Amino acid sequence: MTNLNNTTFNSSKATGRILTNLNSVAEKTGQINTSVVQNANDICQFIIYGDFDILTTSTFTAEDLSKQVLTFATDCLGVPEANFSKEEHFQKSKRDSLRESMKIAQVLMAKSLYAELDEKKTKRVSTQGRMMISNPNTVAQTDRFNKDNDEQVRVGKADLLAIYQTVYGNAGNKKTVSTLSKAYADFYNKLKGTIKDVKETKTVLGGVLLDLPEGVEPEDLMSWKEELDVAFLACTYAHINAMTPEQAVKKGFIDRADQHPKHKDFKKAA
């Protein structure tokens, strides 16, 4: 295998990083995106150094991808096959996160998007969870991921999975994408698109700027966020409501039984 980074690959360290990141996925939802991208980066390293192989066919099924994830978990992470699907040993959040990382690694390696970098000068994955990759425009047949058609571009988890989607379609998906998911993705991408990175010139003060469409004010964003926070909290309570307090604590939705919506102390506090 070609050494793209001019460094020695340490599979034990990569395994430790992936397992640490998977633990953070189960415990801290705010780190999910960064963990998914960092894990995809490490999976690419396993592939580069011949310790794991990508799927070589242009089309594959959800079952094929599931087997790929299972094989990586058992062969590279040391997760016993018998424990992989057991919630008490390897939570669903970890399996889903690893599946997303595998999708990203699959498209990056299969389509030669894993850019060659001098990592002494440029981190492949930023602290915000954005990965530097080769120009994806030809592979994705769109310039929406790289408007300036730069040789390399830094993209986050959502765009990396979108690139996978444009290449493989629904290959590897467990189920059809819902209209709610599509609506969310459309809103998320439009919202993210309001943040512009403007280059500084003699006449323009550069930096990160907010470019809202006509008729939308910053106060609208704050209002939407408050409404969404309330809606998501209601969804969370509804989901927890179907569990026992013990189940909700075990799965990490609440810290104590008295935080369960059906608990008498919770009702008093409310």
Side-chain angles (χ1 to χ4, degrees):
M1 283 287 181
T2 302
N3 187 336
L4 293 180
N5 298 321
N6 297 318
T7 58
T8 301
F9 175 54
N10 188 318
S11 62
S12 296
K13 288 185 177 179
T15 295
R17 282 196 299 270
I18 292 176
L19 289 172
T20 297
N21 283 332
L22 288 175
N23 284 331
S24 75
V25 166
E27 298 169 1
K28 301 176 182 178
T29 58
Q31 296 179 0
I32 287 177
N33 288 358
T34 298
S35 296
V36 167
V37 176
Q38 182 63 64
N39 286 348
N41 177 51
D42 279 323
I43 292 172
C44 287
Q45 292 288 306
F46 272 98
I47 295 167
I48 288 170
Y49 287 93
D51 294 330
F52 190 68
D53 294 318
I54 60 171
L55 294 166
T56 56
T57 57
S58 58
T59 59
F60 46 85
T61 66
E63 184 178 359
D64 292 332
L65 187 66
S66 295
K67 290 179 180 177
Q68 183 83 341
V69 175
L70 173 60
T71 299
F72 182 80
T74 55
D75 291 358
C76 299
L77 302 183
V79 178
E81 183 173 351
N83 291 346
F84 181 74
S85 298
K86 294 180 179 179
E87 188 70 14
E88 63 271 25
H89 294 294
F90 202 75
Q91 294 95 329
K92 183 178 182 298
S93 58
K94 293 183 181 181
R95 298 194 296 272
D96 290 345
S97 177
L98 190 58
R99 190 184 188 87
E100 289 187 325
S101 297
M102 188 62 67
K103 286 183 177 182
I104 293 171
Q106 170 70 30
V107 72
L108 293 182
M109 298 306 298
K111 299 301 178 181
S112 301
L113 295 178
Y114 194 75
E116 184 172 356
L117 297 176
D118 181 351
E119 295 210 4
K120 293 181 180 178
K121 298 179 180 179
T122 304
K123 288 183 64 176
R124 184 175 298 279
V125 180
S126 71
T127 53
Q128 292 78 31
R130 295 170 62 79
M131 183 187 287
M132 185 71 80
I133 65 171
S134 297
N135 185 357
N137 290 357
T138 300
V139 169
Q141 298 183 347
T142 177
D143 67 352
R144 77 182 183 92
F145 305 110
N146 185 11
K147 291 292 185 183
D148 295 328
N149 205 38
D150 293 329
E151 185 178 344
Q152 295 181 350
V153 64
R154 195 173 287 282
V155 292
K157 171 192 160 186
D159 283 343
L160 289 165
L161 289 173
I163 293 169
Y164 171 92
Q165 184 77 15
T166 61
V167 173
Y168 293 108
N170 289 324
N173 287 356
K174 289 185 175 180
K175 55 186 178 183
T176 303
V177 178
S178 69
T179 54
L180 181 60
S181 296
K182 291 178 180 178
Y184 167 75
D186 184 53
F187 172 74
Y188 176 79
N189 287 327
K190 287 181 178 177
L191 184 64
K192 189 173 63 171
T194 63
I195 303 172
K196 309 290 186 182
D197 192 1
V198 180
K199 295 181 180 179
E200 186 170 350
T201 66
K202 292 181 179 180
T203 58
V204 177
L205 183 63
V208 178
L209 302 177
L210 184 63
D211 183 18
L212 294 174
E214 185 177 354
V216 178
E217 301 295 335
E219 291 77 11
D220 294 325
L221 299 184
M222 299 302 101
S223 176
W224 294 345
K225 181 182 182 302
E226 291 174 359
E227 291 171 357
L228 286 172
D229 286 343
V230 172
F232 280 123
L233 185 61
C235 289
T236 301
Y237 280 154
H239 182 55
I240 294 173
N241 214 38
M243 309 177 196
T244 65
E246 292 74 19
Q247 288 173 330
V249 170
K250 185 177 181 179
K251 293 184 177 182
F253 287 101
I254 54 177
D255 296 323
R256 306 183 313 275
D258 62 3
Q259 294 174 326
H260 194 280
K262 291 182 178 178
H263 195 279
K264 59 179 178 23
D265 291 338
F266 175 89
K267 293 178 179 178
K268 289 178 180 178

